[in-house]
Amino acid sequence: GNTIIIVSHNSDLAYEYGDRIIILDSGRIIYDGDYNSAFNNFDLLSIAKIDVPFVIKMKNKFNINEECRTIKELASLIRGDTL
């Protein structure tokens, strides 16, 4: 398979496309793991000064437990559709 490395401060982009997330703080790695654990760890995000991705904010607001990573998937779940 292919590996693509994206360096970004955009948490929405990283949440939608990243499978493995590495978070740095002052040049040192403070997290290296899967995207779901990273972006649902609000203490980690706060320490790293990373915004909670929009999709996660809305999943929490609407009490959605199903897995979704895009706004399109989120909208489907809010409407009551299945993915």
Side-chain angles (χ1 to χ4, degrees), residues 40-60:
N40 282 289
N41 184 335
F42 302 123
D43 291 334
L44 172 67
L45 297 179
S46 177
I47 289 167
K49 299 175 183 71
I50 296 173
D51 292 332
V52 176
F54 178 78
V55 170
I56 292 178
K57 289 179 189 175
M58 293 301 103
K59 281 177 62 174
N60 291 338

Side-chain angles (χ1 to χ4, degrees), residues 65-83:
N65 295 317
E66 289 86 357
E67 179 62 30
C68 69
R69 293 177 74 172
T70 68
I71 292 173
K72 183 177 179 179
E73 292 172 342
L74 176 66
S76 292
L77 292 172
I78 290 170
R79 283 192 307 268
D81 301 340
T82 57
L83 297 181

